[in-house]
Amino acid sequence: MTIKKALMLSFILLAHISLNAQKTGHSFTLSDSSFMLDGKPFQMISGEMHYPRVPRQAWRARMKMAKAMGLNTIGTYVFWNLHEPQKGKFDFSGNNNVAEFVKIAKEEGLWVILRPSPYVCAEWEFGGYPYWLQNEKGLVVRSKEEKYLKEYETYIKEVGKQLAPLQVNHGGNILMVQIENEYGSYGSDKEYLAINQRLFKEAGFDGLLYTCDPTDAIVNGHLPGLLPAINGIDDPIKVKKLISENHGGKGPFYIAEWYPAWFDWWGTAHHTVAAENYTRKLENVLSAGISINMYMFHGGTTRGFMNGANYNDTHPYEPQISSYDYDAPLDEAGNPTKKFMLFRDVIAKHLPSGQTLPPVPAAKPTMAIYNVELKESAGILDVLPKPVFNKTPLTFEDLNQDYGFVLYHTTITGGKTGTLKLNQLRDYAVIMVNGKRIGVLDRRHKLDSIELTLPEGKVKLDILVENLGRINFGPYLLKNKKGITESVLFNGKEIYNWDMYSLPFNQVNSIVYNDKKAINTPVIRKGTFDLSKVADSYLNMRNWGKGVVWVNGHNLGRYWSVGPQQSIYLPAEWLKTGKNEIVVFELLKSDISRLNSSKTPILNKLQ
């Protein structure tokens, strides 16, 4: 053999060995009591953080904060409605680039717990399901129904292409993957769970799979043979008892959702929980060798129209606010709180021998912006697209529209007084007569009727309906269509012949402003402001009524004077030096056209 051939064979052998090592990666297995990383006991100290709730440019900074608090792992859901917003059209770009999120975590020395589910709950629109599933006749989510399983399979295989190669057994940093999500609170079909397991494996998720459920649902929700994680308790004795009872008398023991705080919905007080109430509980769990995932470590912001809602037979419809601050250890803007520092002190006592925590990064700078004038304007009735006509009102889904608003228009005969009733309004309506706002209807209060006195002659009736968020949890997950979902009556007689205008507000760049004075009608306003530097800020919306804000094309979320959230977080990452553009769609206060921002949020003020 020549020297040249020998060298070539040596090179091929080394390359083969290197490739195999890369493919093999680490091992992550279960013992009777511990997770085993490369054959050694490993305690996950994890915190939940969702990639779409944080600007992509800030992912790394948030992960550095996670390391500084002592976390060695982060957990995230994967959101079906983000990645397949329309049937067969997938998007893993920009802020949806979940693979990049996982890779950055690896670069920052963090493992990942992945939760593709595909149902996520998460105070997220439709629990993460894309709206168009409701247009597939006969499709039933979270079931063995054929159409659902077909769409589920298509989706999870696309997710697998992105993320399966990043599992720990393939050289990546994804330790475990969760199938379904708190399924035991919804059903108990083990065959359905087994189908989930099969679909995940076929999608390439060939490492450790697990389920998670609350205490009263773990029996229904776990799949024999998979690790049953538990949510919502932190008593070490109870945790170990419930998991071992459902896992052949053994562990390891994992609290998949440990709640040191809670979320908010419109019209109720901001939820806060003192850190001191939870430091001892965290100490007890870690001392018992139990692995944990804080939900949330960092909540961030549910931007755009992606908030969900709660609803059941005993509680009214409760749409969640845009802020997902959650009173978490890391606040909405990514700054450490008192809770962060106290939890860090607890975790520091449980580090492996010889390890120390990195210093806590400084809080981000903030700034106030004053006297932003929104000089350009257009009434909503002046910027309508081409309508769709139908004898009876169509839902958002009928119009193939996901989120935002629909305006329903018709003409009726006036000269009467009576009750206008919207059967099954979902969710909020501004009523206009001859182009002037005369009242609102609100599903939260079961307010679906209004008394009207109509002028003589032909009367223009316009009803602007807002989707305030599809239900994300509970028995009404299958009853989630939006708009006027049944009929409109005046004095008990049905009104027919509607023009419907889709206003999804996917972008606001094409709006033409006519600057006509808006009087008693929803209005879109546009302005600019100049910056010599950029920093985080909070738009103060206390003087406004209800609406949505965009800055430089980014939908920052909703505001509503009912509170508790009265500000909107404006991240530095979406600002620029020089001219910045702001657009506000205001439903209730037509004459307001100026706003300020502040250095601190307002999350706890009710109307």
Side-chain angles (χ1 to χ4, degrees), residues 201-215:
K201 288 184 175 180
E202 290 176 356
F205 293 110
D206 53 1
L208 275 177
L209 302 177
Y210 75 100
T211 60
C212 78
D213 292 279
T215 56

Side-chain angles (χ1 to χ4, degrees), residues 91 93 108 120 175 217 268 273 297-298 360 375 402 415 451 487 558 566:
D91 180 7
S93 64
E108 294 301 321
V120 300
L175 294 177
T268 58
V273 181
F297 158 68
H298 171 52
V360 179
K375 296 179 179 179
D402 45 12
E451 293 297 310
S487 59
R558 311 178 204 255
Q566 301 283 2

Side-chain angles (χ1 to χ4, degrees), residues 223-277:
L223 183 64
L226 297 189
L227 175 69
I230 198 162
N231 295 351
I233 63 169
D234 46 27
D235 181 320
I237 294 175
K238 291 181 180 178
V239 169
K240 291 184 176 182
K241 179 177 184 292
L242 281 165
I243 290 177
S244 61
E245 284 177 350
N246 291 278
H247 197 224
K250 58 186 179 181
F253 308 103
Y254 176 43
I255 304 172
E257 292 187 8
W258 180 67
Y259 308 114
W262 205 242
F263 60 92
D264 295 329
W265 51 94
W266 292 111
T268 58
H270 176 50
H271 292 84
T272 60
V273 181
E276 291 84 355
N277 294 354

Side-chain angles (χ1 to χ4, degrees), residues 397-425:
E397 291 74 15
D398 292 332
L399 296 166
N400 293 314
Q401 181 178 333
D402 45 12
Y403 315 114
F405 303 77
V406 169
L407 188 131
Y408 297 81
H409 170 83
T410 193
T411 301
I412 57 177
T413 301
K416 308 171 187 175
T417 295
T419 301
L420 182 75
K421 180 179 176 64
L422 276 59
N423 283 322
Q424 294 300 317
L425 166 66

